[in-house]
Amino acid sequence: MNNILIKPLVTERMTELMESENKYGFIVNYNANKIEIAKAIKKRFEVDVVAVNTIKYKGKVKTQFTKKGRFSGKTPQFKKAIITLKEDQKIDLFEEV
């Protein structure tokens, strides 16, 4: 269960969703399902999860031209989860140590 949550998403849009709609974004394991994600959030942050929405991103093929020739590669695939919490609960992603 430790490897389900990879890192939180901290973008301008996600910060706006945190403040207005109590939604939080995380990069999660590509093979994790919604139930596993909800359990991991509940265990890690001790909050009640109302909904989990997931989006899978496929890796894109990138090509680079150099003096030695053409190189092809691929960006990694990843999965993003948007977590909705109960109205009175919050996750503090910017904890002060």
Side-chain angles (χ1 to χ4, degrees), residues 57-69:
Y57 291 94
K58 302 284 184 188
K60 295 181 181 178
V61 175
K62 300 285 184 171
T63 305
Q64 182 178 12
F65 294 98
T66 64
K67 290 181 181 178
K68 293 183 179 181

Side-chain angles (χ1 to χ4, degrees), residues 3 8 18 21 23 30 39 41 43-44 49-50 60 62 64-65 67 69 71 78 80 82 84 87 92 94 97:
N3 60 355
M18 284 181 213
E21 299 181 28
K23 293 185 178 184
Y30 196 77
K39 286 180 182 178
I41 293 287
K43 183 178 178 184
R44 173 85 191 268
V49 177
V50 175
K60 295 181 181 178
K62 300 285 184 171
Q64 182 178 12
F65 294 98
K67 290 181 181 178
F71 295 101
F78 65 96
K80 181 167 64 171
I82 309 295
T84 306
E87 287 186 23
D92 189 14
F94 310 107
V97 178

